[in-house]
Amino acid sequence: MQAPIAKKIPFLLENHGHQRQDNYYWMRDDERQDDEVLAHLRAENSYCEAKLAPTQHRQKALFEELKSRIKKDDNTVPVRDGKYWYHSEVSGDQEYAKHFRADTFDGQGKTLLLDVNELAHGHEFYDLADMAVSPNEQCLAYCEDYSGRRIYQVRFKDLLTGQLLADELSDCEGQVVWANDNQTVYYVKKDPQTLLGYQVFRHRMGTAQEQDELVYEEQDRSFYMGLGKSRDESLIFIDLEATETSHTYVLDANDANAQAVELTPRIMGHLYDVDKLGEQFYIVSNLDAKNYRLMQATTQTISNPDAWQQVIAHRESVLLESVELFNTYWLVTERELGQIRFVVYQHEQGQMLGEGNVLAFDDPCYFAGVGMNPEPNVSKARIYYSSLTTPGSLYEFDLASGERVLLKQQQVQGDFDPALYQSERLMITARDGVKVPVSLVYRRDSFSKDGTNPLLQYGYGAYGITIDPSFSSGILSLLDRGFVYAIAHIRGSEMLGRAWYDAGKLTQKQNTFNDFIDITQALIEQGYGDADKVCASGGSAGGLLMGAVVNQAPHLYRAIGCHVPFLDVLTTMLDESIPLTTNEYDEWGNPNDEQDYHTIAAYSPYDNIQSQDYPHILVTTGLHDSQVQYWEPMKWVAKMREHKTDDNLLLFKTDLESGHGGASGRFKSLEEKALEFNFFLTALDYED
């Protein structure tokens, strides 16, 4: 079967005196209804299926293998909120969870709140986002997306009668916040074109959405908007976040007619996160503190940063990430040398008492995060923990003693034995002398440091998002076939602090690509992988990484997985009508500025395709992707087919029902993973 060859319609783009010819610009269809576009996507899907048909048996076996490790009947640990305990359950082959609440921890008086399987019935895609119970615990608001575009509808359920209420909200972000009167909810409305949330509305139960009151509108389209509620539930936060600046407005949660009040003046370059408990505000702030410090303020001083009091000072080698507030403790999340840790400080009415105590974990590299702790008047905290060899585990820590109790650990079905696997943390020296962290895992009995193992290297490297080493039952399918799996903690994340992020964006973005390439070379040289069996994978901004890497160092890789990839960076960042563009000028640069234009042009994957040999490449996307539009990978594949000089596989698969997050459901999403794994094994000529 021949690969689909797209028609070429010349389209000239000119900026700053520089011309680009885009022969595939015609592939953009904002309505996603163009017959020719859809026909081409279906042709690519058919081609992908045909080329992998000889190994279809293995792909099906991989899917069943991935599925077999998942416990079919499972539940979450109940969480106390108010007078009820909340948990979810999954069972059998059902794709989605059922959500319950009960009178006790052990489930007495259990009541079904939502059966997501019923809500998703008849829909190819379904996503349930925020679920918010009213303060009097009598009404449930929940947010639904049927397309994958992350445009949510909000519905309300009377928990006393079990009936849906007439109230419905449309075109929302996936969250709502209740005021304390149980009759008022706040939500963020999205711009239908850019999909940017920029307006906060107040809805009064029992009225039509058309009557809702606009509470706040943000004029600067570089900000994302979200809602939250303070730890003491006295305030509703309107959180505005740009790449380099934060801004917060508050509403009195006890006043159904409250007006939005600026919490503290907007200062360009000031990034912060704020919470309130009792009479004190706590602010994790980067003012005069690149890696953040913890500040404290009162109602009288919160509007004046010069009057804030320091609680935890800035440290050059420690990134202060967040603080969880309890009546007598602060649980602080920090990161040093790339590793998360938790420090507990005791306090009395906001005054610190003594030194902090570090909560201990065991693995050389791991991921951990503060779990749901809705009530501040306790001395215990839940922390989720996982490593490359340790399945997800929920611990409850006694904040006074530091002692921990395991509440639940992910059960991996089958013959999984964690003792069979080994993880490592390496520091690889990049070409400019900077040491870059790498997390590795492999199976002990199949690994030999002689350069014979296949290697899969994963990376992201953008937005300050850190990809911590955590357990994946899916990756076992490759480890058990002899692979080494490596996570490259490249610049662009915050793995080594805020400076690590700054060194991988804007004019320094090339560091991200150099780091990934240099890590690949070093792992080969150190015997962690066979030079002829190196695979790499990344999605979204990590897909941009894949696109840049294969342009710049195609010889290093045998196969590439490139998922929902951001590939046409220059054209997208020049178009303010595309979702997310204006929010990301501080990440990639604003190409309306000539210097930024040329910086982006130097690495933009679509603009730098060359006539050269490329690795085997699998590209996946969703037609309804709201983050990276489907036409970016579609154009990239078409242009790649035109220019590449090899006979390697170039496969393109579009899920015609999903968005940026891929297929919905706990089993259906495994089909995408089975596809990628089978593609890698096929590219490596692996024999079962």
Side-chain angles (χ1 to χ4, degrees):
M1 182 177 182
Q2 293 296 315
I5 302 300
K7 71 177 183 180
K8 296 162 64 173
I9 301 177
F11 188 86
L12 186 64
L13 297 163
E14 183 171 357
N15 303 86
H16 308 295
H18 178 245
Q19 292 185 340
R20 293 179 296 140
Q21 184 85 343
D22 188 350
N23 293 322
Y24 304 105
Y25 192 88
W26 66 268
M27 292 179 168
R28 174 176 176 174
D29 172 30
D30 289 354
E31 302 302 319
R32 290 159 171 78
Q33 295 178 353
D34 185 278
D35 291 338
E36 192 169 7
V37 168
L38 295 175
H40 189 82
L41 292 175
R42 292 190 182 100
E44 287 282 8
N45 284 353
S46 297
Y47 178 72
C48 177
E49 184 176 343
K51 297 301 289 186
L52 292 177
T55 58
Q56 186 64 32
H57 63 287
R58 180 171 60 204
Q59 188 166 315
K60 290 180 179 178
L62 281 164
F63 172 76
E64 294 299 331
E65 185 178 307
L66 295 168
K67 186 177 178 180
S68 71
R69 296 196 190 100
I70 297 176
K71 187 178 180 183
K72 288 191 173 183
D73 300 329
D74 206 356
N75 60 276
T76 61
V77 179
V79 176
R80 178 76 176 266
D81 191 4
K83 67 179 182 180
Y84 293 104
W85 293 84
Y86 293 81
H87 76 282
S88 63
E89 299 176 5
V90 290
S91 60
D93 288 325
Q94 291 183 333
E95 292 279 2
Y96 302 95
K98 296 178 181 178
H99 296 276
F100 297 89
R101 72 178 181 187
D103 297 327
T104 63
F105 178 86
D106 57 6
Q108 294 182 22
K110 184 172 75 171
T111 302
L112 177 65
L113 301 179
L114 289 178
D115 182 345
V116 185
N117 299 284
E118 290 184 359
L119 297 175
H121 181 70
H123 300 285
E124 289 293 331
F125 178 91
Y126 183 86
D127 179 45
L128 176 69
D130 192 22
M131 295 172 55
V133 177
S134 60
N136 64 6
E137 302 172 304
Q138 295 180 9
C139 188
L140 171 68
Y142 59 98
C143 307
E144 304 177 292
D145 173 20
Y146 298 110
S147 70
R149 292 286 283 169
R150 298 182 181 176
I151 305 173
Y152 291 89
Q153 319 302 312
V154 182
R155 290 178 169 80
F156 298 85
K157 183 176 182 179
D158 187 323
L159 297 180
L160 300 181
T161 67
Q163 300 300 308
L164 285 178
L165 301 177
D167 300 68
E168 289 189 12
L169 309 175
S170 62
D171 300 328
C172 305
E173 292 281 7
Q175 60 174 170
V176 295
V177 176
W178 288 90
N180 292 338
D181 67 349
N182 304 296
Q183 295 297 314
T184 307
V185 293
Y186 294 91
Y187 63 95
V188 175
K189 194 81 177 288
K190 283 194 166 188
D191 182 296
Q193 175 66 32
T194 66
L195 304 187
L196 178 66
Y198 70 107
Q199 294 175 319
V200 178
F201 280 89
R202 174 165 38 224
H203 174 74
R204 302 185 191 279
M205 298 300 295
T207 66
Q209 186 177 11
E210 292 75 19
Q211 298 175 266
D212 291 351
E213 180 184 355
L214 178 64
V215 174
Y216 177 77
E217 179 172 347
E218 177 56 44
Q219 301 297 327
D220 187 338
R221 296 300 191 261
S222 67
F223 283 87
Y224 291 103
M225 178 182 286
L227 299 176
K229 206 167 189 180
S230 62
R231 188 78 161 128
D232 61 9
E233 300 189 341
S234 66
L235 295 176
I236 294 168
F237 293 122
I238 301 173
D239 294 315
L240 301 165
E241 293 289 337
T243 304
E244 296 182 346
T245 304
S246 305
H247 198 199
T248 302
Y249 285 80
V250 295
L251 295 148
D252 185 343
N254 295 307
D255 180 359
N257 298 303
Q259 298 302 304
V261 177
E262 184 182 60
L263 190 65
T264 190
R266 182 177 298 185
I267 301 173
M268 300 307 294
H270 184 199
L271 289 165
Y272 65 90
D273 186 52
V274 63
D275 205 347
K276 177 179 177 289
L277 183 58
E279 300 302 315
Q280 300 291 328
F281 287 92
Y282 295 88
I283 313 100
V284 176
S285 167
N286 76 337
L287 274 184
D288 301 317
K290 192 173 189 65
N291 279 336
Y292 297 87
R293 54 179 173 160
L294 180 60
M295 308 295 285
Q296 191 178 56
T298 64
T299 302
Q300 291 73 36
T301 62
I302 185 63
S303 63
N304 179 14
D306 291 335
W308 296 352
Q309 299 298 307
Q310 180 171 280
V311 179
I312 299 176
H314 172 259
R315 290 152 292 174
E316 290 291 339
S317 61
V318 178
L319 178 68
L320 199 163
E321 292 194 341
S322 64
V323 60
E324 184 84 350
L325 305 176
F326 296 86
N327 286 352
T328 54
Y329 296 95
W330 300 316
L331 178 58
V332 177
T333 303
E334 301 179 343
R335 188 183 294 271
E336 185 171 20
L337 294 176
Q339 188 56 69
I340 287 174
R341 69 176 177 220
F342 303 94
V343 185
V344 179
Y345 296 91
Q346 189 172 6
H347 69 92
E348 183 174 343
Q349 296 182 342
Q351 298 300 311
M352 186 184 294
L353 304 175
E355 299 295 319
N357 297 315
V358 178
L359 303 181
F361 290 107
D362 307 319
D363 290 295
C365 53
Y366 59 84
F367 166 72
V370 178
M372 291 185 64
N373 297 288
E375 299 191 2
N377 59 340
V378 295
S379 60
K380 296 181 185 296
R382 292 182 177 183
I383 293 179
Y384 175 85
Y385 176 83
S386 173
S387 77
L388 291 170
T389 58
T390 307
S393 309
L394 185 63
Y395 288 97
E396 186 171 73
F397 277 84
D398 186 304
L399 296 177
S401 66
E403 294 180 356
R404 70 186 187 193
V405 175
L406 179 63
L407 299 179
K408 183 181 178 65
Q409 186 173 78
Q410 173 191 354
Q411 292 187 30
V412 182
Q413 304 295 95
D415 58 358
F416 170 70
D417 180 359
L420 293 175
Y421 305 90
Q422 176 68 45
S423 65
E424 294 184 34
R425 168 64 60 82
L426 306 179
M427 297 298 288
I428 300 295
T429 302
R431 65 192 68 181
D432 59 357
V434 173
K435 293 186 180 298
V436 185
V438 181
S439 298
L440 291 165
V441 64
Y442 47 81
R443 184 162 168 143
R444 295 175 188 268
D445 57 5
S446 64
F447 174 69
S448 178
K449 202 173 177 181
D450 60 0
T452 59
N453 288 83
L455 169 69
L456 173 58
Q457 183 174 314
Y458 174 82
Y460 187 76
Y463 304 111
I465 295 173
T466 299
I467 307 298
D468 283 294
S470 60
F471 184 79
S472 166
S473 65
I475 206 68
L476 296 176
S477 290
L478 293 183
L479 301 184
D480 291 347
R481 288 170 171 82
F483 275 73
V484 174
Y485 178 62
I487 304 174
H489 304 294
I490 50 186
R491 278 172 278 190
S493 74
E494 286 188 343
M495 173 61 80
L496 297 181
R498 185 71 182 181
W500 197 247
Y501 170 41
D502 291 340
K505 67 172 184 173
L506 297 173
T507 60
Q508 300 189 78
K509 187 60 192 173
Q510 184 60 39
N511 286 334
T512 300
F513 316 133
N514 291 346
D515 287 353
F516 194 88
I517 292 167
D518 294 348
I519 286 170
T520 303
Q521 292 176 320
L523 292 178
I524 293 170
E525 291 168 0
Q526 294 180 28
Y528 284 98
D530 186 326
D532 294 324
K533 298 180 180 179
V534 179
C535 303
S537 181
S540 194
L544 184 158
L545 171 68
M546 294 299 103
V549 162
V550 296
N551 281 335
Q552 297 177 23
H555 60 284
L556 284 178
Y557 303 95
R558 182 75 170 270
I560 296 288
C562 193
H563 308 295
V564 289
F566 183 30
L567 297 166
D568 194 11
V569 186
L570 199 54
T571 304
T572 290
M573 294 306 296
L574 282 163
D575 188 345
E576 296 184 8
S577 72
I578 294 177
L580 310 187
T581 293
T582 55
N583 301 80
E584 304 201 350
Y585 286 154
D586 289 334
E587 178 74 29
W588 314 106
N590 181 351
N592 294 299
D593 174 84
E594 186 171 1
Q595 181 177 348
D596 287 354
Y597 177 93
H598 290 294
T599 296
I600 297 170
Y603 66 76
S604 178
Y606 183 68
D607 295 291
N608 285 278
I609 291 174
Q610 303 173 48
S611 295
Q612 63 180 356
D613 286 357
Y614 281 92
H616 298 279
I617 300 174
L618 170 67
V619 183
T620 63
T621 192
L623 179 63
H624 301 285
D625 195 330
S626 60
Q627 311 298 110
V628 181
Q629 310 304 307
Y630 76 87
W631 57 79
E632 292 202 31
M634 185 182 183
K635 290 168 55 178
W636 188 76
V637 168
K639 187 175 180 180
M640 183 70 74
R641 290 203 195 286
E642 180 184 354
H643 289 278
K644 76 188 191 81
T645 55
D646 58 85
D647 294 323
N648 291 331
L649 293 171
L650 174 56
L651 305 180
F652 180 35
K653 178 69 179 295
T654 302
D655 187 327
L656 299 175
E657 306 297 337
S658 75
H660 196 65
S664 59
R666 60 177 180 148
F667 296 129
K668 186 178 179 181
S669 61
L670 298 177
E671 295 176 358
E672 298 173 357
K673 187 59 66 178
L675 169 67
E676 181 183 51
F677 287 0
N678 182 46
F679 169 76
F680 287 149
L681 295 171
T682 300
L684 295 178
D685 299 321
Y686 183 91
E687 295 185 7
D688 296 300

